[in-house]
Structures are given as structure tokens and as C-alpha cells.
């Protein structure tokens, strides 16, 4: 009787590494871009996206067929520029996200969740593919994002207190009990992503050198928020 051998599931090669196993060597030199103003993805963060434009539906389809990677980056608007411009100038730093869940709707649109991997520096754009912009990137400056060093001790109560006052001024609600239970490092990913700061301030949080610097920037932005501001920026 012939012997039957069963392959251990752990021996089946993965097409993409597990999130916790991603290294710089796994990052391609060129990625598709998803420019979105007022929204930043941070390393270790989670960003839900409603994808309905044909060019970004194409971007999601192509990402799913390869390494599931999308480059989130903000347009850099200038007052003299038309915001209807389909290819506005971009900030030099974005964040690489991996699709960790998606739902395809009956109308062909997608609900997608990205997990933040590492920031990247935009080197140059390389044209368009199926309507979406592509670019050469460099992630070597941000190697620490893949294994981020914990923040230095900070005044957590002061930060959350400033956050409460900011949300009260804006007329916003938050699940404070959930925020208060978060570990420091997760809190410092979550707070910058949920605060409705203007794009330039969001970018300052993304550009912060590390978690300790992000605490400083976040506390400053919350403290500088004036009471005359009554709603999130449009």
C-alpha cells in the first residue's frame, strides 16, 4: 500500500508575508498612490476607505492581485490652484498601507481597510496606470516604522484632557472609555488619525520623527486649537 504524505500548512509558501514579518526587502520600489486630503494613515494604524472612483477601484484591484499595497498620501493644495485638478502636487511623505480586509459591493465599489506599514518618501512620479498615479518611493529613512520604538514617558492625562476639550469645542463624540484603555503607543496612533485637523496639521503628525515627537506635535496642535473654531475643517 502506497504511503500518503500530507503537507503541513506551515510549509505552504505565502505570496505576501504576515504583517508582523514585513521587512524593507518586501517593499517594492514603485507603488500606486491614493491621494486623499485631510486623511493620514500612520504605521500600525487602521484606515477604512470607501472606494468608488473608477481609477481607485482599479488601484484596489491591482493591489489585491499583487502585494496588497497602496500608498496613502495627501495632496498639497495651494490657494492659486484649482482643487478640481486631477493630479495636484503631493506632500513628500506618505504611508504605505496593506489591504487587510475588503468587501466588494454589488455596484462594483469597495469597502477597504488598510493597515499602516511604514512611511515613505516620494521620489518621483512615474505616470499613470489605469487612471491612478504611480511613483518611485524610498522607505529606508523610516525603517524604524516596521519595528517602532516605544514613546518616551509622557503626560497621558494632560493629552487626553486636551483631547476632550478639543472634541467639545468641535461638537464631536468619542468612545472615551475605549481610548482610556488603550496602550500608550496605540493611543498615539489612534488620536492623530481621528482628530479632524486641517491637512497641513495632519501632515505634521505624519512627519514627526518618532512617537515621542508625535506626542509633542499632537499636544501642541490640541493646545493651539482656538475656541472660535466650531467645526471640523471642510
Amino acid at each position: 500500500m502506497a504511503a500518503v504524505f500530507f503537507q503541513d500548512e506551515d510549509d505552504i509558501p505565502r505570496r505576501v508575508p504576515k504583517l508582523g514579518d514585513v521587512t524593507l526587502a518586501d517593499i517594492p520600489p514603485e507603488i500606486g498612490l491614493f491621494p486623499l486630503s485631510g486623511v493620514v494613515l500612520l504605521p500600525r494604524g487602521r484606515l477604512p476607505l470607501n472606494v468608488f472612483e473608477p481609477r481607485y477601484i482599479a488601484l484596489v484591484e491591482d493591489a489585491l492581485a499583487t502585494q496588497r499595497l497602496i500608498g496613502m498620501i495627501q495632496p498639497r493644495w495651494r490657494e492659486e490652484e484649482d482643487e478640481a485638478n486631477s493630479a495636484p502636487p503631493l506632500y513628500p511623505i506618505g504611508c504605505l498601507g496593506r489591504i487587510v480586509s475588503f468587501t466588494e459591493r454589488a455596484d462594483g465599489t469597495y469597502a477597504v481597510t488598510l493597515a499602516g506599514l511604514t512611511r515613505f518618501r516620494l521620489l518621483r512620479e512615474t505616470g499613470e496606470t489605469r487612471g491612478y498615479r504611480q511613483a518611485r518611493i524610498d522607505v529606508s529613512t523610516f525603517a524604524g516604522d516596521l519595528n517602532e520604538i516605544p514613546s518616551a514617558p509622557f503626560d497621558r492625562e494632560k493629552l487626553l484632557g486636551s483631547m476632550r476639550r478639543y472634541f467639545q469645542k468641535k461638537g464631536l463624540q468619542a468612545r472615551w472609555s475605549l481610548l482610556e484603555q488603550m496602550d500608550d503607543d496605540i493611543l498615539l496612533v489612534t488620536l492623530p488619525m481621528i482628530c479632524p485637523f486641517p491637512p497641513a496639521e495632519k501632515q505634521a503628525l505624519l512627519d514627526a520623527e518618532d512617537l515621542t515627537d508625535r506626542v509633542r506635535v499632537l499636544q501642541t496642535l490640541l493646545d493651539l486649537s482656538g475656541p472660535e473654531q466650531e467645526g471640523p475643517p471642510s
Side-chain angles (χ1 to χ4, degrees):
M1 181 177 179
V4 178
F5 296 95
F6 295 94
Q7 185 178 27
D8 191 315
E9 289 186 358
D10 291 339
D11 293 333
I12 300 175
R14 292 176 59 94
R15 189 160 55 89
V16 294
K18 298 176 183 177
L19 276 176
D21 295 339
V22 175
T23 68
L24 291 181
D26 299 310
I27 307 298
E30 187 170 315
I31 58 168
L33 300 176
F34 197 134
L36 192 57
S37 183
V39 175
V40 294
L41 174 64
L42 293 174
R44 300 172 63 194
R46 292 290 188 275
L47 179 65
L49 290 174
N50 181 31
V51 184
F52 54 89
E53 288 189 52
R55 55 182 168 172
Y56 297 128
I57 289 174
L59 172 60
V60 168
E61 290 174 343
D62 290 348
L64 289 171
T66 53
Q67 294 167 295
R68 308 183 208 161
L69 299 177
I70 290 176
M72 294 301 303
I73 196 165
Q74 288 199 106
R76 190 167 194 163
W77 300 113
R78 298 189 182 96
E79 292 182 1
E80 67 273 14
E81 289 173 339
D82 181 5
E83 292 195 9
N85 181 4
S86 62
L90 303 172
Y91 277 99
I93 295 175
C95 185
L96 197 63
R98 191 163 94 176
I99 298 174
V100 291
S101 70
F102 75 97
T103 299
E104 183 179 4
R105 305 186 184 97
D107 62 359
T109 62
Y110 287 96
V112 170
T113 298
L114 296 181
L117 291 178
T118 178
R119 290 170 291 173
F120 63 83
R121 190 171 300 278
L122 183 67
L123 298 179
R124 66 179 184 277
E125 293 194 50
T126 56
E128 293 186 356
T129 297
R130 300 219 290 157
Y132 63 85
R133 299 161 75 175
Q134 288 193 305
R136 298 281 296 187
I137 63 168
D138 175 38
V139 297
S140 60
T141 307
F142 307 107
D145 287 350
L146 294 174
N147 187 21
E148 194 156 26
I149 299 172
S151 67
F154 66 97
D155 192 335
R156 182 186 175 103
E157 292 305 314
K158 178 182 178 182
L159 184 65
L160 285 173
S162 298
M163 183 81 171
R164 284 181 181 273
R165 289 188 292 273
Y166 175 84
F167 268 50
Q168 186 175 16
K169 292 173 187 176
K170 299 291 185 181
L172 302 173
Q173 301 294 323
R175 297 177 62 184
W176 296 108
S177 59
L178 181 61
L179 292 173
E180 289 167 353
Q181 294 172 12
M182 287 182 178
D183 292 339
D184 287 352
D185 295 344
I186 299 300
L187 187 71
L188 297 180
V189 170
T190 303
L191 293 186
M193 290 182 63
I194 67 174
C195 282
F197 293 129
E201 296 180 359
K202 286 275 193 178
Q203 191 67 33
L205 289 161
L206 180 65
D207 293 350
E209 183 176 351
D210 51 28
L211 285 178
T212 299
D213 190 35
R214 191 182 302 160
V215 173
R216 179 189 60 79
V217 175
L218 179 57
Q219 185 68 63
T220 299
L221 293 177
L222 291 172
D223 290 345
L224 290 177
S225 176
E228 71 279 1
Q229 296 176 317
E230 297 180 352
S234 58

